[in-house]
Amino acid sequence: LQLVESGGGLVQPGGSLRLSCAASGFTFYYYAIGWFRQAPGKEREGVSCISSSSITEYADSVKGRFTISRDNAKNTVYLQMNNLKPEDTAIYYCAARDLACSWNGPFYDDWGQGTQVTVSS
């Protein structure tokens, strides 16, 4: 099972980025995919998740700004991030687990290598 994130980069406050999490090696549609992030000196936190049945969840800090979606035909989950703020700066990771979402990182079986998002003027 492999997860590969992409789409990170440097963006000004108020800008947008779309992260992708491409999966291979497992029955993608069966899995929930979560996005987590970790900023320097801070603990990892959950950002968003989409279940196998496409039920979505968001952290309060990103509600109304981020949108998660999945394309099972492409084995890919997307995280559209709009109106980015400096506090969104972090390494973003996607992770997979059976069926349902969880905000608890250890409940996820597999993780990607992460993609850096930097929001700065």
Side-chain angles (χ1 to χ4, degrees), residues 55-117:
I55 297 171
T56 58
E57 299 180 20
Y58 298 93
D60 287 342
S61 59
V62 306
K63 279 180 182 176
R65 300 189 297 122
F66 291 11
T67 302
I68 191 170
S69 61
R70 66 189 298 154
D71 185 339
N72 288 340
K74 296 182 178 180
N75 284 7
T76 301
V77 166
Y78 304 99
L79 186 67
Q80 178 66 44
M81 307 187 296
N82 298 329
N83 190 21
L84 283 161
K85 303 176 180 181
E87 51 263 42
D88 294 318
T89 296
I91 299 175
Y92 283 70
Y93 301 89
C94 64
R97 69 184 304 270
D98 292 355
L99 296 177
C101 287
S102 172
W103 291 108
N104 193 338
F107 285 3
Y108 286 78
D109 301 311
D110 296 276
W111 292 78
Q113 83 290 345
T115 186
Q116 175 72 48
V117 171

Side-chain angles (χ1 to χ4, degrees), residues 9-26:
L10 173 64
V11 64
Q12 293 185 343
S16 298
L17 285 173
R18 188 177 79 159
L19 304 184
S20 298
C21 173
S24 62
F26 63 103

Side-chain angles (χ1 to χ4, degrees), residues 26-41:
F26 63 103
T27 309
F28 179 74
Y29 65 83
Y30 185 77
Y31 283 77
I33 303 294
W35 283 98
F36 293 78
R37 66 187 181 187
Q38 188 164 21

